Amino acid sequence: MSTFGLGLFVFCIVGIFLNASHAQLQHNFYAKSCPKAEKIIEDYVHKHIPKAPSLAAALLRLHFHDCFVRGCDGSVLLNFTSSTKNQTEKVAIPNQTLRGFSFIDGVKKIVEAECPGVVSCADIVTLVARDSVVVTGGPFWNVPTGRRDGKISNASEALANIPPPTSNLSSLQTSFANKGLDLKDLVLLSGAHTIGVSHCSSFSTRLYNFTGVLGTQDPSLDSEYASNLKGKKCKSINDNTTIVEMDPGSFRTFDLSYYKLLLKRRGLFQSDAALTTSATTKSFINQLVKGSLEEFNAEFAKAMEKMGRIEVKTGSAGEIRKQCAFVNK
């Protein structure tokens, strides 16, 4: 075979391989293997989320934390096992307040009853996050499926990859860029803070110990808002139990209120406030606030679909777990 012919042959083989791997993530991946899967998941979400609406934000956060460590592969769901002695992502500091694991297990149980060993936990997490947001009145976005479940979960990787609420813009930009996401994605995905709550411990340093000296407050936080938080919510730096709305007044409504609060210096986390420290990100925020909710929903949907593709495992990589908390034996 000539050099040209060999090169063309190799190019074709590589092309076929790449196309095959990309083809694994597709809309209605389970159309033949488990045609009712997505409807079963949607129905479960529509039945249960209205009874526990705060879970919508929790399940969205679970999806985000999953995708930022080893990609969207369900690794955040894995439990510690005595056989491996491995501390999994669940026990890492960023994940200690995660909720929704039993909800995912409930979905997995009924999907397994319909189609054993077919639908991945990684896809369930992704679909549940989308459907939960829709139930709250938020946007729908496309979720191509075909993700497979990872077999590895390390607490240290969660700590290293999930941006903490104390992040500045530079570290946020780096964390997101490492996952193929840009500053616009950062601003849009932060908009998920329009729903849900947080524990005081995630931001109490801003109120009580900002410079490392007890009694110092973050000057970038609106003073009236800070006084309200200290007087009515987080009354001490040691409060680890009180929960606070991330978007006060509309924390169960998917809207633009979060961005309006940012411009008033009322973002709850340092990472929220960081979004207003760059001309680029602040410009994105202003555009969103001046635009319509429909425009935000459409942009948020694109960013979520993009996030859902981070480092996915497809084809023969990984496995389809029988139980989401354990790798298959």
Side-chain angles (χ1 to χ4, degrees), residues 200-201 204 208 235-241:
C200 290
S201 53
S204 57
Y208 294 105
K235 296 180 181 179
S236 96
I237 194 170
N238 300 314
D239 186 339
N240 294 316
T241 54

Side-chain angles (χ1 to χ4, degrees), residues 131-241:
D131 294 342
S132 297
V133 168
V134 170
V135 169
T136 70
F140 173 93
W141 62 89
N142 293 317
V143 176
T145 43
R147 294 165 191 79
R148 288 173 64 84
D149 298 320
K151 300 179 183 180
I152 299 169
S153 181
N154 293 312
S156 59
E157 292 180 355
L159 191 60
N161 285 279
I162 297 169
T166 53
S167 298
N168 60 26
L169 188 67
S170 176
S171 60
L172 285 170
Q173 185 173 6
T174 300
S175 294
F176 275 64
N178 287 341
K179 303 301 172 187
L181 302 171
D182 58 26
L183 284 175
K184 186 176 182 181
D185 297 319
L186 167 61
V187 171
L188 289 164
L189 293 171
S190 295
H193 290 174
T194 184
I195 57 172
V197 296
S198 170
H199 290 84
C200 290
S201 53
S202 294
F203 59 88
S204 57
T205 299
R206 298 188 79 193
L207 301 175
Y208 294 105
N209 192 28
F210 188 65
T211 65
V213 177
L214 202 60
T216 55
Q217 187 172 294
D218 184 353
S220 72
L221 185 63
D222 176 73
S223 57
E224 186 181 337
Y225 183 42
S227 296
N228 182 278
L229 286 170
K230 288 196 283 189
K232 297 181 179 179
K233 297 287 186 178
C234 310
K235 296 180 181 179
S236 96
I237 194 170
N238 300 314
D239 186 339
N240 294 316
T241 54

Side-chain angles (χ1 to χ4, degrees), residues 21-270:
S21 65
H22 282 289
Q24 300 299 322
L25 208 63
Q26 57 188 272
H27 296 294
N28 299 315
F29 177 83
Y30 301 108
K32 292 181 180 177
S33 58
C34 191
K36 295 180 182 178
E38 293 194 25
K39 185 68 167 64
I40 288 170
I41 294 168
E42 182 186 11
D43 288 348
Y44 189 94
V45 170
H46 278 257
K47 179 181 178 181
H48 293 282
I49 290 297
K51 299 174 187 174
S54 68
L55 256 184
L59 291 162
L60 184 57
R61 183 175 178 233
L62 186 68
H63 177 37
F64 173 79
H65 283 223
D66 183 36
C67 290
F68 264 62
V69 186
R70 292 186 168 267
C72 312
D73 70 344
S75 57
V76 73
L77 306 173
L78 289 171
N79 282 350
F80 167 85
T81 58
S82 55
S83 60
T84 63
K85 303 288 192 297
N86 187 49
Q87 293 296 329
T88 60
E89 293 170 33
K90 269 187 180 180
V91 304
I93 289 172
N95 291 336
Q96 287 174 1
T97 54
L98 283 181
R99 296 188 300 133
F101 296 107
S102 59
F103 190 95
I104 297 298
D105 289 340
V107 176
K108 177 66 170 174
K109 186 176 180 180
I110 57 171
V111 172
E112 281 293 298
E114 176 72 18
C115 312
V118 174
V119 181
S120 70
C121 299
D123 274 341
I124 289 173
V125 169
T126 310
L127 289 162
V128 162
R130 190 270 310 278
D131 294 342
S132 297
V133 168
V134 170
V135 169
T136 70
F140 173 93
W141 62 89
N142 293 317
V143 176
T145 43
R147 294 165 191 79
R148 288 173 64 84
D149 298 320
K151 300 179 183 180
I152 299 169
S153 181
N154 293 312
S156 59
E157 292 180 355
L159 191 60
N161 285 279
I162 297 169
T166 53
S167 298
N168 60 26
L169 188 67
S170 176
S171 60
L172 285 170
Q173 185 173 6
T174 300
S175 294
F176 275 64
N178 287 341
K179 303 301 172 187
L181 302 171
D182 58 26
L183 284 175
K184 186 176 182 181
D185 297 319
L186 167 61
V187 171
L188 289 164
L189 293 171
S190 295
H193 290 174
T194 184
I195 57 172
V197 296
S198 170
H199 290 84
C200 290
S201 53
S202 294
F203 59 88
S204 57
T205 299
R206 298 188 79 193
L207 301 175
Y208 294 105
N209 192 28
F210 188 65
T211 65
V213 177
L214 202 60
T216 55
Q217 187 172 294
D218 184 353
S220 72
L221 185 63
D222 176 73
S223 57
E224 186 181 337
Y225 183 42
S227 296
N228 182 278
L229 286 170
K230 288 196 283 189
K232 297 181 179 179
K233 297 287 186 178
C234 310
K235 296 180 181 179
S236 96
I237 194 170
N238 300 314
D239 186 339
N240 294 316
T241 54
T242 302
I243 56 173
V244 177
E245 298 169 10
M246 291 191 288
D247 184 1
S250 69
F251 77 108
R252 287 182 179 167
T253 309
F254 216 91
D255 56 24
L256 291 166
S257 172
Y258 164 76
Y259 294 112
K260 293 173 183 176
L261 290 173
L262 289 188
L263 296 176
K264 295 177 180 176
R265 300 192 298 122
R266 293 190 171 199
L268 196 58
F269 307 128
Q270 281 172 254

Side-chain angles (χ1 to χ4, degrees), residues 8-18:
L8 184 62
F9 173 76
V10 171
F11 176 79
C12 289
I13 292 297
V14 171
I16 289 167
F17 174 77
L18 289 174

